[in-house]
């Protein structure tokens, strides 16, 4: 869902993208271009009953080769300028506070619960935090953001599988911290204690009410509308965070009779 292209832009490297879905918002701001956008030459519907309206848009091989040649023959200073503009575009529009969009007004949650003599909110993060997947990386991104407020949050992690994706095997500080938060979650749930907030990083049909306040985080879908089942699940959440205006419109513009 565009993570690789955002990482490229954040490093000042111009991108080549298929002009479809949220990628269109990354390669240009309507005035400046931060790479080359290629129009798809064929489209196919590959959705399922649960997740319909997924389109597979393919580009022409010759167009892609031509884009590579354009970059290769481009003067270094012009390529550098394009990369710098792209990097600034990411800084201005894709930071955590800007790239994550709330459907509705920002949620305000009062401080609840007591932990270690300090008032903390009990937060459960449900997602594929330990998998080598896009949603796994997005879950870890959410956890890193929450850790910045760990003074005020008691964070627990409920890891889930993500298809056949492998799990992380590295041993570092972040992995050890996540493991400790998984253990805390198990103990908390075995004691049948409630949570103040749930943050669920997955596709909407897996969302459920787990806490007093429930927030769904999803990449959405590379289409212009989502399924009726997703709309039902969205309405069960207190807030929804998605990755781009294009993805957001898939939810807000979908109407079913």
């Amino acid at each position: 869902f565009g993570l690789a292209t955002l990482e490229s832009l954040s490093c000042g490297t111009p991108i080549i993208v298929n002009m479809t879905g949220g990628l269109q918002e990354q390669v240009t701001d309507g005035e400046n271009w931060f790479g080359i956008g290629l129009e798809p030459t064929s489209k196919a519907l590959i959705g399922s009953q649960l997740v319909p309206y997924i389109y597979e848009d393919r580009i022409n091989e010759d167009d892609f080769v031509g884009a590579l040649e354009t970059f290769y023959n481009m003067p270094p200073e012009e390529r550098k300028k394009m990369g710098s503009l792209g990097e600034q575009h990411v800084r201005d529009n894709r930071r955590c506070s800007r790239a994550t969009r709330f459907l509705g007004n920002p949620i305000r949650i009062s401080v609840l619960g007591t932990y270690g003599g300090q008032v903390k909110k009990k937060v459960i993060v449900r997602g594929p935090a330990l998998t080598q997947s896009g949603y796994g990386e997005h879950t870890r991104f959410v956890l890193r953001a929450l850790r910045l407020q760990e003074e005020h949050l008691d964070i627990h992690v409920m890891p889930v599988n993500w298809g056949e994706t492998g799990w992380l095997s590295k041993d570092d500080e972040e992995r050890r911290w996540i493991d400790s938060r998984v253990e805390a979650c198990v103990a908390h749930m075995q004691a049948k204690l409630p949570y103040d907030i749930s943050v669920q990083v997955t596709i909407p049909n897996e969302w459920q009410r787990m806490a007093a306040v429930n927030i769904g985080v999803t990449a959405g879908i590379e289409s212009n509308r989502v399924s009726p089942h997703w709309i039902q699940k969205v309405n069960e959440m207190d807030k929804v965070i998605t990755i781009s205006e294009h993805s957001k419109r898939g939810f807000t513009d979908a109407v079913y009779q």
Side-chain angles (χ1 to χ4, degrees):
F1 294 96
L3 180 60
T5 46
L6 278 180
E7 290 174 342
S8 178
L9 287 174
S10 67
C11 294
T13 306
I15 57 177
I16 300 174
V17 303
N18 190 344
M19 291 296 284
T20 185
L23 293 174
Q24 300 171 87
E25 298 176 2
Q26 294 187 22
V27 73
T28 180
D29 59 5
E31 180 179 354
N32 300 300
W33 284 82
F34 320 118
I36 298 174
L38 301 177
E39 293 295 333
T41 55
S42 67
K43 298 185 177 182
L45 183 64
I46 60 171
S48 64
Q49 185 174 1
L50 280 179
V51 189
Y53 315 120
I54 297 180
Y55 296 92
E56 183 178 70
D57 300 339
R58 299 183 177 182
I59 58 175
N60 181 276
E61 180 180 350
D62 291 338
D63 291 343
F64 180 67
V65 171
L68 290 175
E69 290 178 344
T70 297
F71 274 138
Y72 182 79
N73 295 319
M74 184 179 293
E77 60 275 9
E78 183 178 343
R79 189 166 55 244
K80 182 177 180 180
K81 179 181 179 181
M82 183 179 288
S84 297
L85 288 172
E87 183 178 359
Q88 190 60 47
H89 175 63
V90 173
R91 292 182 183 276
D92 291 343
N93 300 285
R94 302 292 172 175
R95 297 177 315 215
C96 179
S97 59
R98 295 287 296 278
T100 53
R101 314 285 182 175
F102 282 87
L103 302 187
N105 297 321
I107 194 166
R108 298 187 182 277
I109 305 166
S110 58
V111 177
L112 303 170
T114 302
Y115 177 78
Q118 294 182 333
V119 179
K120 288 191 174 186
K121 293 187 279 286
K122 298 283 188 180
V123 181
I124 181 171
V125 178
R126 181 179 181 273
L130 297 176
T131 69
Q132 301 183 68
S133 64
Y135 266 93
E137 178 57 34
H138 204 55
T139 305
R140 293 186 290 275
F141 175 82
V142 169
L143 288 171
R144 290 170 196 140
L146 291 174
R147 285 190 75 180
L148 298 176
Q149 300 296 324
E150 201 166 12
E151 178 183 354
H152 308 292
L153 304 176
D154 183 15
I155 306 165
H156 294 181
V157 178
M158 178 186 289
V160 298
N161 292 323
W162 192 258
E164 299 298 322
T165 306
W167 285 50
L168 296 175
S169 58
K170 63 181 180 180
D171 180 21
D172 56 17
E173 188 278 334
E174 181 176 72
R175 173 58 189 267
R176 290 189 293 272
W177 178 83
I178 292 176
D179 286 344
S180 73
R181 297 299 82 208
V182 173
E183 293 173 0
C185 178
V186 171
H188 192 82
M189 298 192 75
Q190 286 179 342
K192 298 182 179 180
L193 297 173
Y195 282 102
D196 300 315
I197 309 166
S198 79
V199 181
Q200 303 174 48
V201 189
T202 182
I203 55 178
N205 53 285
E206 296 180 1
W207 290 344
Q208 53 189 290
R209 295 200 65 83
M210 302 176 64
V213 174
N214 298 277
I215 302 171
V217 181
T218 183
I221 189 173
E222 290 298 290
S223 178
N224 58 1
R225 57 178 171 170
V226 300
S227 72
H229 184 59
W230 280 25
I231 296 297
Q232 176 186 345
K233 286 295 185 178
V234 164
N235 289 330
E236 294 177 11
M237 296 290 103
D238 295 285
K239 290 293 173 181
V240 173
I241 302 175
T242 190
I243 61 172
S244 69
E245 288 293 340
H246 172 83
S247 181
K248 176 181 174 179
R249 287 193 296 270
F251 290 96
T252 58
D253 295 351
V255 177
Y256 294 94
Q257 302 297 329

